[in-house]
PDB file of all heavy atoms in Angstrom:
ATOM      1  N   ILE A 121       0.867  -1.179   0.012  1.00 87.00           N
ATOM      2  CA  ILE A 121       0.000  -0.008   0.016  1.00 87.00           C
ATOM      3  C   ILE A 121       0.895   1.228  -0.010  1.00 87.00           C
ATOM      4  O   ILE A 121       1.820   1.348   0.812  1.00 87.00           O
ATOM      5  CB  ILE A 121      -0.946   0.010   1.227  1.00 87.00           C
ATOM      6  CG1 ILE A 121      -1.749  -1.259   1.310  1.00 87.00           C
ATOM      7  CG2 ILE A 121      -1.797   1.238   1.276  1.00 87.00           C
ATOM      8  CD1 ILE A 121      -2.514  -1.408   2.614  1.00 87.00           C
ATOM      9  N   PRO A 122       0.650   2.154  -0.931  1.00 87.00           N
ATOM     10  CA  PRO A 122       1.457   3.407  -0.846  1.00 87.00           C
ATOM     11  C   PRO A 122       1.257   4.193   0.469  1.00 87.00           C
ATOM     12  O   PRO A 122       0.099   4.173   1.031  1.00 87.00           O
ATOM     13  CB  PRO A 122       0.831   4.188  -2.040  1.00 87.00           C
ATOM     14  CG  PRO A 122       0.172   3.209  -2.892  1.00 87.00           C
ATOM     15  CD  PRO A 122      -0.346   2.169  -1.974  1.00 87.00           C
ATOM     16  N   SER A 123       2.275   4.803   0.972  1.00 84.00           N
ATOM     17  CA  SER A 123       2.196   5.501   2.265  1.00 84.00           C
ATOM     18  C   SER A 123       1.161   6.572   2.289  1.00 84.00           C
ATOM     19  O   SER A 123       0.533   6.876   3.308  1.00 84.00           O
ATOM     20  CB  SER A 123       3.588   6.063   2.602  1.00 84.00           C
ATOM     21  OG  SER A 123       4.030   6.939   1.625  1.00 84.00           O
ATOM     22  N   GLU A 124       0.924   7.188   1.093  1.00 82.00           N
ATOM     23  CA  GLU A 124      -0.044   8.328   1.109  1.00 82.00           C
ATOM     24  C   GLU A 124      -1.480   7.805   1.261  1.00 82.00           C
ATOM     25  O   GLU A 124      -2.434   8.555   1.468  1.00 82.00           O
ATOM     26  CB  GLU A 124       0.033   9.131  -0.202  1.00 82.00           C
ATOM     27  CG  GLU A 124      -0.145   8.344  -1.464  1.00 82.00           C
ATOM     28  CD  GLU A 124       1.163   7.768  -2.094  1.00 82.00           C
ATOM     29  OE1 GLU A 124       2.115   7.652  -1.254  1.00 82.00           O
ATOM     30  OE2 GLU A 124       1.147   7.421  -3.219  1.00 82.00           O
ATOM     31  N   ASP A 125      -1.639   6.435   1.120  1.00 80.00           N
ATOM     32  CA  ASP A 125      -3.033   5.868   1.285  1.00 80.00           C
ATOM     33  C   ASP A 125      -3.274   5.325   2.659  1.00 80.00           C
ATOM     34  O   ASP A 125      -4.361   4.809   2.939  1.00 80.00           O
ATOM     35  CB  ASP A 125      -3.217   4.753   0.255  1.00 80.00           C
ATOM     36  CG  ASP A 125      -3.274   5.304  -1.206  1.00 80.00           C
ATOM     37  OD1 ASP A 125      -3.631   6.457  -1.376  1.00 80.00           O
ATOM     38  OD2 ASP A 125      -3.059   4.502  -2.129  1.00 80.00           O
ATOM     39  N   PHE A 126      -2.295   5.440   3.549  1.00 80.00           N
ATOM     40  CA  PHE A 126      -2.412   4.781   4.891  1.00 80.00           C
ATOM     41  C   PHE A 126      -3.652   5.376   5.632  1.00 80.00           C
ATOM     42  O   PHE A 126      -4.411   4.658   6.309  1.00 80.00           O
ATOM     43  CB  PHE A 126      -1.169   5.037   5.739  1.00 80.00           C
ATOM     44  CG  PHE A 126      -0.052   4.074   5.420  1.00 80.00           C
ATOM     45  CD1 PHE A 126      -0.140   3.256   4.268  1.00 80.00           C
ATOM     46  CD2 PHE A 126       1.061   3.981   6.160  1.00 80.00           C
ATOM     47  CE1 PHE A 126       0.860   2.395   3.991  1.00 80.00           C
ATOM     48  CE2 PHE A 126       2.119   3.148   5.913  1.00 80.00           C
ATOM     49  CZ  PHE A 126       2.005   2.330   4.765  1.00 80.00           C
ATOM     50  N   ASP A 127      -3.898   6.667   5.548  1.00 77.00           N
ATOM     51  CA  ASP A 127      -4.963   7.360   6.316  1.00 77.00           C
ATOM     52  C   ASP A 127      -6.361   6.985   5.731  1.00 77.00           C
ATOM     53  O   ASP A 127      -7.380   7.156   6.427  1.00 77.00           O
ATOM     54  CB  ASP A 127      -4.803   8.880   6.223  1.00 77.00           C
ATOM     55  CG  ASP A 127      -3.583   9.319   7.081  1.00 77.00           C
ATOM     56  OD1 ASP A 127      -3.152   8.515   7.993  1.00 77.00           O
ATOM     57  OD2 ASP A 127      -3.069  10.422   6.802  1.00 77.00           O
ATOM     58  N   ARG A 128      -6.403   6.531   4.489  1.00 78.00           N
ATOM     59  CA  ARG A 128      -7.702   6.258   3.809  1.00 78.00           C
ATOM     60  C   ARG A 128      -8.030   4.770   3.697  1.00 78.00           C
ATOM     61  O   ARG A 128      -9.123   4.439   3.252  1.00 78.00           O
ATOM     62  CB  ARG A 128      -7.731   6.891   2.463  1.00 78.00           C
ATOM     63  CG  ARG A 128      -7.383   8.393   2.448  1.00 78.00           C
ATOM     64  CD  ARG A 128      -7.698   8.963   1.089  1.00 78.00           C
ATOM     65  NE  ARG A 128      -9.078   8.814   0.697  1.00 78.00           N
ATOM     66  CZ  ARG A 128      -9.498   8.943  -0.553  1.00 78.00           C
ATOM     67  NH1 ARG A 128      -8.668   9.311  -1.530  1.00 78.00           N
ATOM     68  NH2 ARG A 128     -10.805   8.774  -0.842  1.00 78.00           N
ATOM     69  N   ILE A 129      -7.088   3.923   4.087  1.00 80.00           N
ATOM     70  CA  ILE A 129      -7.278   2.491   3.851  1.00 80.00           C
ATOM     71  C   ILE A 129      -8.507   1.914   4.512  1.00 80.00           C
ATOM     72  O   ILE A 129      -9.095   0.962   4.006  1.00 80.00           O
ATOM     73  CB  ILE A 129      -5.985   1.733   4.271  1.00 80.00           C
ATOM     74  CG1 ILE A 129      -6.010   0.305   3.618  1.00 80.00           C
ATOM     75  CG2 ILE A 129      -5.894   1.649   5.741  1.00 80.00           C
ATOM     76  CD1 ILE A 129      -5.816   0.359   2.118  1.00 80.00           C
ATOM     77  N   PHE A 130      -8.943   2.509   5.653  1.00 79.00           N
ATOM     78  CA  PHE A 130     -10.075   2.006   6.380  1.00 79.00           C
ATOM     79  C   PHE A 130     -11.381   2.708   6.001  1.00 79.00           C
ATOM     80  O   PHE A 130     -12.419   2.510   6.667  1.00 79.00           O
ATOM     81  CB  PHE A 130      -9.832   2.082   7.890  1.00 79.00           C
ATOM     82  CG  PHE A 130      -8.743   1.195   8.339  1.00 79.00           C
ATOM     83  CD1 PHE A 130      -7.456   1.712   8.610  1.00 79.00           C
ATOM     84  CD2 PHE A 130      -8.915  -0.172   8.466  1.00 79.00           C
ATOM     85  CE1 PHE A 130      -6.460   0.909   9.017  1.00 79.00           C
ATOM     86  CE2 PHE A 130      -7.893  -0.987   8.927  1.00 79.00           C
ATOM     87  CZ  PHE A 130      -6.656  -0.496   9.132  1.00 79.00           C
ATOM     88  N   GLU A 131     -11.339   3.615   4.998  1.00 74.00           N
ATOM     89  CA  GLU A 131     -12.536   4.289   4.510  1.00 74.00           C
ATOM     90  C   GLU A 131     -13.422   3.309   3.743  1.00 74.00           C
ATOM     91  O   GLU A 131     -12.964   2.331   3.134  1.00 74.00           O
ATOM     92  CB  GLU A 131     -12.196   5.435   3.667  1.00 74.00           C
ATOM     93  CG  GLU A 131     -11.526   6.621   4.372  1.00 74.00           C
ATOM     94  CD  GLU A 131     -11.209   7.796   3.431  1.00 74.00           C
ATOM     95  OE1 GLU A 131     -11.697   7.773   2.265  1.00 74.00           O
ATOM     96  OE2 GLU A 131     -10.560   8.728   3.917  1.00 74.00           O
ATOM     97  N   ARG A 132     -14.692   3.585   3.741  1.00 66.00           N
ATOM     98  CA  ARG A 132     -15.632   2.728   3.050  1.00 66.00           C
ATOM     99  C   ARG A 132     -15.514   2.890   1.535  1.00 66.00           C
ATOM    100  O   ARG A 132     -15.409   3.990   1.026  1.00 66.00           O
ATOM    101  CB  ARG A 132     -17.037   3.051   3.477  1.00 66.00           C
ATOM    102  CG  ARG A 132     -17.228   2.877   4.992  1.00 66.00           C
ATOM    103  CD  ARG A 132     -18.530   3.410   5.490  1.00 66.00           C
ATOM    104  NE  ARG A 132     -18.580   3.295   6.943  1.00 66.00           N
ATOM    105  CZ  ARG A 132     -19.642   3.559   7.724  1.00 66.00           C
ATOM    106  NH1 ARG A 132     -20.754   3.875   7.080  1.00 66.00           N
ATOM    107  NH2 ARG A 132     -19.610   3.427   8.951  1.00 66.00           N
ATOM    108  N   PHE A 133     -15.475   1.784   0.839  1.00 62.00           N
ATOM    109  CA  PHE A 133     -15.391   1.667  -0.585  1.00 62.00           C
ATOM    110  C   PHE A 133     -13.995   2.169  -1.144  1.00 62.00           C
ATOM    111  O   PHE A 133     -13.859   2.321  -2.360  1.00 62.00           O
ATOM    112  CB  PHE A 133     -16.511   2.491  -1.295  1.00 62.00           C
ATOM    113  CG  PHE A 133     -17.883   2.004  -0.997  1.00 62.00           C
ATOM    114  CD1 PHE A 133     -18.747   2.717  -0.184  1.00 62.00           C
ATOM    115  CD2 PHE A 133     -18.325   0.798  -1.477  1.00 62.00           C
ATOM    116  CE1 PHE A 133     -20.030   2.287   0.088  1.00 62.00           C
ATOM    117  CE2 PHE A 133     -19.592   0.296  -1.213  1.00 62.00           C
ATOM    118  CZ  PHE A 133     -20.445   1.054  -0.404  1.00 62.00           C
ATOM    119  N   TYR A 134     -13.073   2.337  -0.195  1.00 66.00           N
ATOM    120  CA  TYR A 134     -11.744   2.720  -0.734  1.00 66.00           C
ATOM    121  C   TYR A 134     -10.924   1.527  -1.093  1.00 66.00           C
ATOM    122  O   TYR A 134     -10.837   0.546  -0.382  1.00 66.00           O
ATOM    123  CB  TYR A 134     -10.979   3.536   0.353  1.00 66.00           C
ATOM    124  CG  TYR A 134      -9.656   4.105  -0.211  1.00 66.00           C
ATOM    125  CD1 TYR A 134      -9.661   5.184  -1.059  1.00 66.00           C
ATOM    126  CD2 TYR A 134      -8.471   3.441   0.075  1.00 66.00           C
ATOM    127  CE1 TYR A 134      -8.460   5.675  -1.565  1.00 66.00           C
ATOM    128  CE2 TYR A 134      -7.272   3.948  -0.455  1.00 66.00           C
ATOM    129  CZ  TYR A 134      -7.277   5.020  -1.239  1.00 66.00           C
ATOM    130  OH  TYR A 134      -6.081   5.515  -1.733  1.00 66.00           O
ATOM    131  N   ARG A 135     -10.340   1.559  -2.303  1.00 61.00           N
ATOM    132  CA  ARG A 135      -9.502   0.459  -2.733  1.00 61.00           C
ATOM    133  C   ARG A 135      -8.185   0.972  -3.240  1.00 61.00           C
ATOM    134  O   ARG A 135      -8.088   1.995  -3.905  1.00 61.00           O
ATOM    135  CB  ARG A 135     -10.189  -0.259  -3.980  1.00 61.00           C
ATOM    136  CG  ARG A 135     -11.565  -0.857  -3.674  1.00 61.00           C
ATOM    137  CD  ARG A 135     -12.113  -1.546  -4.891  1.00 61.00           C
ATOM    138  NE  ARG A 135     -13.421  -2.147  -4.678  1.00 61.00           N
ATOM    139  CZ  ARG A 135     -14.524  -1.519  -4.934  1.00 61.00           C
ATOM    140  NH1 ARG A 135     -14.534  -0.256  -5.342  1.00 61.00           N
ATOM    141  NH2 ARG A 135     -15.675  -2.176  -4.704  1.00 61.00           N
ATOM    142  N   VAL A 136      -7.126   0.211  -2.877  1.00 60.00           N
ATOM    143  CA  VAL A 136      -5.825   0.595  -3.363  1.00 60.00           C
ATOM    144  C   VAL A 136      -5.683   0.270  -4.855  1.00 60.00           C
ATOM    145  O   VAL A 136      -5.230   1.081  -5.610  1.00 60.00           O
ATOM    146  CB  VAL A 136      -4.704  -0.147  -2.591  1.00 60.00           C
ATOM    147  CG1 VAL A 136      -3.324   0.174  -3.114  1.00 60.00           C
ATOM    148  CG2 VAL A 136      -4.794   0.242  -1.072  1.00 60.00           C
ATOM    149  N   ASP A 137      -6.104  -0.939  -5.201  1.00 55.00           N
ATOM    150  CA  ASP A 137      -6.010  -1.361  -6.589  1.00 55.00           C
ATOM    151  C   ASP A 137      -7.496  -1.682  -7.037  1.00 55.00           C
ATOM    152  O   ASP A 137      -7.989  -2.767  -6.816  1.00 55.00           O
ATOM    153  CB  ASP A 137      -5.123  -2.566  -6.788  1.00 55.00           C
ATOM    154  CG  ASP A 137      -4.935  -2.932  -8.240  1.00 55.00           C
ATOM    155  OD1 ASP A 137      -5.770  -2.550  -9.042  1.00 55.00           O
ATOM    156  OD2 ASP A 137      -3.922  -3.592  -8.504  1.00 55.00           O
ATOM    157  N   LYS A 138      -8.180  -0.705  -7.639  1.00 52.00           N
ATOM    158  CA  LYS A 138      -9.611  -0.857  -7.917  1.00 52.00           C
ATOM    159  C   LYS A 138      -9.849  -1.989  -8.927  1.00 52.00           C
ATOM    160  O   LYS A 138     -10.814  -2.761  -8.772  1.00 52.00           O
ATOM    161  CB  LYS A 138     -10.167   0.455  -8.429  1.00 52.00           C
ATOM    162  CG  LYS A 138     -10.076   1.586  -7.390  1.00 52.00           C
ATOM    163  CD  LYS A 138     -10.759   2.851  -7.880  1.00 52.00           C
ATOM    164  CE  LYS A 138     -10.676   3.947  -6.878  1.00 52.00           C
ATOM    165  NZ  LYS A 138     -11.360   5.205  -7.295  1.00 52.00           N
ATOM    166  N   SER A 139      -9.006  -2.067  -9.894  1.00 49.00           N
ATOM    167  CA  SER A 139      -9.234  -3.028 -10.930  1.00 49.00           C
ATOM    168  C   SER A 139      -9.099  -4.470 -10.362  1.00 49.00           C
ATOM    169  O   SER A 139      -9.906  -5.364 -10.642  1.00 49.00           O
ATOM    170  CB  SER A 139      -8.267  -2.822 -12.107  1.00 49.00           C
ATOM    171  OG  SER A 139      -6.946  -2.953 -11.615  1.00 49.00           O
ATOM    172  N   ARG A 140      -8.094  -4.711  -9.548  1.00 46.00           N
ATOM    173  CA  ARG A 140      -7.861  -5.995  -8.946  1.00 46.00           C
ATOM    174  C   ARG A 140      -9.006  -6.347  -7.937  1.00 46.00           C
ATOM    175  O   ARG A 140      -9.456  -7.442  -7.934  1.00 46.00           O
ATOM    176  CB  ARG A 140      -6.515  -6.030  -8.244  1.00 46.00           C
ATOM    177  CG  ARG A 140      -6.324  -7.402  -7.536  1.00 46.00           C
ATOM    178  CD  ARG A 140      -4.968  -7.447  -6.824  1.00 46.00           C
ATOM    179  NE  ARG A 140      -3.868  -7.427  -7.747  1.00 46.00           N
ATOM    180  CZ  ARG A 140      -2.778  -8.144  -7.618  1.00 46.00           C
ATOM    181  NH1 ARG A 140      -2.657  -9.006  -6.574  1.00 46.00           N
ATOM    182  NH2 ARG A 140      -1.761  -8.010  -8.478  1.00 46.00           N
ATOM    183  N   SER A 141      -9.402  -5.358  -7.169  1.00 49.00           N
ATOM    184  CA  SER A 141     -10.477  -5.567  -6.196  1.00 49.00           C
ATOM    185  C   SER A 141     -11.737  -6.025  -6.837  1.00 49.00           C
ATOM    186  O   SER A 141     -12.368  -6.978  -6.417  1.00 49.00           O
ATOM    187  CB  SER A 141     -10.675  -4.293  -5.350  1.00 49.00           C
ATOM    188  OG  SER A 141     -11.704  -4.497  -4.427  1.00 49.00           O
ATOM    189  N   LYS A 142     -12.156  -5.339  -7.903  1.00 51.00           N
ATOM    190  CA  LYS A 142     -13.436  -5.663  -8.537  1.00 51.00           C
ATOM    191  C   LYS A 142     -13.289  -7.013  -9.266  1.00 51.00           C
ATOM    192  O   LYS A 142     -14.283  -7.806  -9.282  1.00 51.00           O
ATOM    193  CB  LYS A 142     -13.834  -4.585  -9.541  1.00 51.00           C
ATOM    194  CG  LYS A 142     -14.226  -3.289  -8.869  1.00 51.00           C
ATOM    195  CD  LYS A 142     -14.717  -2.245  -9.856  1.00 51.00           C
ATOM    196  CE  LYS A 142     -15.185  -0.967  -9.135  1.00 51.00           C
ATOM    197  NZ  LYS A 142     -15.663   0.005 -10.045  1.00 51.00           N
ATOM    198  N   ALA A 143     -12.149  -7.275  -9.804  1.00 51.00           N
ATOM    199  CA  ALA A 143     -11.960  -8.551 -10.547  1.00 51.00           C
ATOM    200  C   ALA A 143     -11.979  -9.701  -9.595  1.00 51.00           C
ATOM    201  O   ALA A 143     -12.428 -10.813 -10.020  1.00 51.00           O
ATOM    202  CB  ALA A 143     -10.557  -8.447 -11.307  1.00 51.00           C
ATOM    203  N   THR A 144     -11.572  -9.562  -8.377  1.00 51.00           N
ATOM    204  CA  THR A 144     -11.530 -10.623  -7.399  1.00 51.00           C
ATOM    205  C   THR A 144     -12.728 -10.609  -6.493  1.00 51.00           C
ATOM    206  O   THR A 144     -12.796 -11.362  -5.561  1.00 51.00           O
ATOM    207  CB  THR A 144     -10.246 -10.585  -6.581  1.00 51.00           C
ATOM    208  OG1 THR A 144     -10.157  -9.274  -5.969  1.00 51.00           O
ATOM    209  CG2 THR A 144      -9.028 -10.798  -7.482  1.00 51.00           C
ATOM    210  N   GLY A 145     -13.700  -9.735  -6.694  1.00 52.00           N
ATOM    211  CA  GLY A 145     -14.942  -9.774  -5.917  1.00 52.00           C
ATOM    212  C   GLY A 145     -14.931  -8.870  -4.670  1.00 52.00           C
ATOM    213  O   GLY A 145     -15.716  -9.001  -3.790  1.00 52.00           O
TER     214      GLY A 145
END
């Protein structure tokens, strides 16, 4: 996870890799 995303990782609907997340359900 990129360090700039640490504060948002627990937000709702937030994804680090959106394409991978949707592809894997």
Side-chain angles (χ1 to χ4, degrees):
I121 302 170
S123 58
E124 60 268 20
D125 290 337
F126 281 11
D127 292 338
R128 303 190 60 194
I129 196 67
F130 295 102
E131 291 181 9
R132 300 170 186 190
F133 297 109
Y134 185 77
R135 300 182 179 91
V136 176
D137 188 337
K138 295 183 179 180
S139 59
R140 177 180 293 219
S141 178
K142 291 184 178 180
T144 56

